[in-house]
Amino acid sequence: MTRRIPLDVPLIIGHRGAPGYRPEHTASSYRLAFAMGADAVEPDVVATRDGVLVIRHENEISGTTDVADHPEFAGRRTTKHIDGVALTGWFTEDFTWAELATLRCRERVPALRPGSAGFDDTEPILRLSDLLALVAEASAEHGRELGVVLEIKHATFFAGLGHDLAALVERDLRAAGWASGEHPLWVESFELTVLGALRTRGVQGVYVYLLEAEGAPADLVARDGAAAPDYAETLTPAGLDALRGVVDGISVDKQILLRGTGRELVAEAHERGLVVFTWTCRPENAFLDRRFRTGAPPTFGDYRTEWAAIAGTGVDGVFVDHPDLGQAAFRG
């Protein structure tokens, strides 16, 4: 059986690794997260043209790779509508894995994180299979069982291109020995449909529904249009009731917990047997709630007070960009 919450709570989850120090979703970012005490790391997966699952926060990769510096790919720059948002750049689904393997990763916000940007162009994109092998190696190295919080991105969009992300995720998890509950695995998405599809395939894990502070899920918008229920409806007692037996937990924007009713939301979720995660705890002023900003970017603000307020809600897991700071604040 997969453990719902291993070790201490809140669970410290390295959000894309340790991107406060290394470009996100790189091998060094993940290894550093574990070295700093993270219990688990969070990879986001999207698909290539040939059905390989790669780890990128979005399928648009101009901000996190050197793709713009490759003249051979200049003609693939385009504009697409992803979950209702127009984006211009380069997209993973327009490349084969062999092509993406020639790119190198870059820091997403170099002005805020110049130290991380110093490692630009030194590491390749990872596949999901690469990350799972890395976690197994790190578990042996650190002598403790480490976990993965796997986020499936843009499933409805990719389904329209002929990519069944649930099938692809199952394929890679089974091949790596991660589908039968033998390792700490959480699977999350902003779309319930793909979570249900993966669970139906028999993948054992803790299923977590990601919830924004506003807006509506892309799968329900695609199905119901303007009549689609929004995320806010899911956060009501009736909405939480509807999640019973469908998922094992929710993961919410930290602003939802900081509104003043965060403790009540966590308690209501726990009453229904749901775990609660929150994202993303970052120390820079640019990312803090305005009440806790104490200077100008890129300096750190009063993140400890913000994080203490989050911890006070009784949340079960926190996503952090600086796992060492997360350990000190949430476990210190």
Side-chain angles (χ1 to χ4, degrees):
M1 293 292 292
T2 298
R3 296 171 297 169
R4 294 177 71 85
I5 297 290
L7 306 176
D8 299 325
V9 292
L11 195 74
I12 305 299
I13 305 162
H15 180 241
R16 313 178 203 169
Y21 303 105
R22 299 289 188 276
E24 65 186 42
H25 291 316
T26 57
S28 67
S29 184
Y30 288 118
R31 290 193 180 101
L32 184 58
F34 289 131
M36 289 179 166
D39 302 304
V41 292
E42 184 242 14
D44 303 291
V45 293
V46 292
T48 66
R49 177 187 294 165
D50 49 346
V52 175
L53 289 179
V54 295
I55 300 177
R56 291 285 89 194
H57 180 246
E58 298 291 344
N59 54 329
E60 199 289 296
I61 56 173
S62 63
T64 59
T65 73
D66 64 349
V67 64
D69 293 342
H70 286 251
E72 67 273 27
F73 299 139
R76 299 192 200 179
R77 186 173 188 269
T78 187
T79 298
K80 299 188 180 188
H81 284 80
I82 311 297
D83 297 346
V85 178
L87 297 173
T88 298
W90 288 263
F91 297 83
T92 60
E93 64 270 17
D94 296 331
F95 294 80
T96 65
W97 162 242
E99 291 171 329
L100 285 184
T102 67
L103 305 182
R104 294 296 177 265
C105 300
R106 288 182 175 174
E107 169 56 43
R108 179 185 297 274
V109 285
L112 290 179
R113 295 175 173 173
S116 175
F119 295 90
D120 282 357
D121 302 338
T122 62
E123 296 186 69
I125 292 173
L126 298 176
R127 296 166 293 186
L128 176 57
S129 57
D130 299 324
L131 183 279
L132 295 174
L134 184 155
V135 175
E137 293 169 3
S139 293
E141 177 185 354
H142 295 286
R144 56 194 179 96
E145 193 173 23
L146 302 170
V148 170
V149 183
L150 173 61
E151 182 177 350
I152 303 173
K153 301 301 289 279
H154 308 305
T156 298
F157 170 80
F158 276 106
L161 301 178
H163 291 300
D164 182 344
L165 291 194
L168 297 178
V169 169
E170 180 199 10
R171 176 199 66 192
D172 286 3
L173 290 176
R174 290 202 184 282
W178 276 76
S180 301
E182 60 270 49
H183 301 290
L185 173 68
W186 295 258
V187 184
E188 61 179 7
S189 178
F190 286 102
E191 302 177 46
L192 274 178
T193 306
V194 69
L195 295 178
L198 189 61
R199 176 166 259 170
T200 298
R201 290 176 169 273
V203 172
Q204 300 298 306
V206 179
Y207 284 78
V208 179
Y209 189 24
L210 283 159
L211 299 168
E212 296 267 18
E214 56 186 29
D219 55 339
L220 299 187
V221 171
R223 186 191 70 188
D224 301 331
D230 61 17
Y231 290 118
E233 293 180 51
T234 304
L235 294 170
T236 65
L240 293 174
D241 284 340
L243 294 181
R244 284 180 170 176
V246 177
V247 292
D248 305 301
I250 58 175
S251 184
V252 301
D253 184 332
K254 69 176 184 178
Q255 292 302 324
I256 294 172
L257 297 186
L258 291 170
R259 288 173 179 168
T261 56
R263 184 185 292 271
E264 289 78 4
L265 172 62
V266 173
E268 288 176 351
H270 285 169
E271 287 174 5
R272 293 159 175 82
L274 301 171
V275 298
V276 183
F277 291 168
T278 194
W279 44 274
T280 302
C281 293
R282 297 169 165 131
E284 295 97 344
N285 277 294
F287 300 119
L288 293 174
D289 184 273
R290 291 185 180 277
R291 292 171 290 170
F292 307 110
R293 295 178 188 175
T294 59
T299 57
F300 289 3
D302 186 14
Y303 69 90
R304 284 183 173 273
T305 301
E306 182 191 86
W307 296 4
I310 291 170
T313 65
V315 70
D316 301 298
V318 292
F319 291 84
V320 296
D321 281 6
H322 301 70
D324 55 340
L325 302 184
Q327 276 286 340
F330 290 101
R331 299 267 182 84

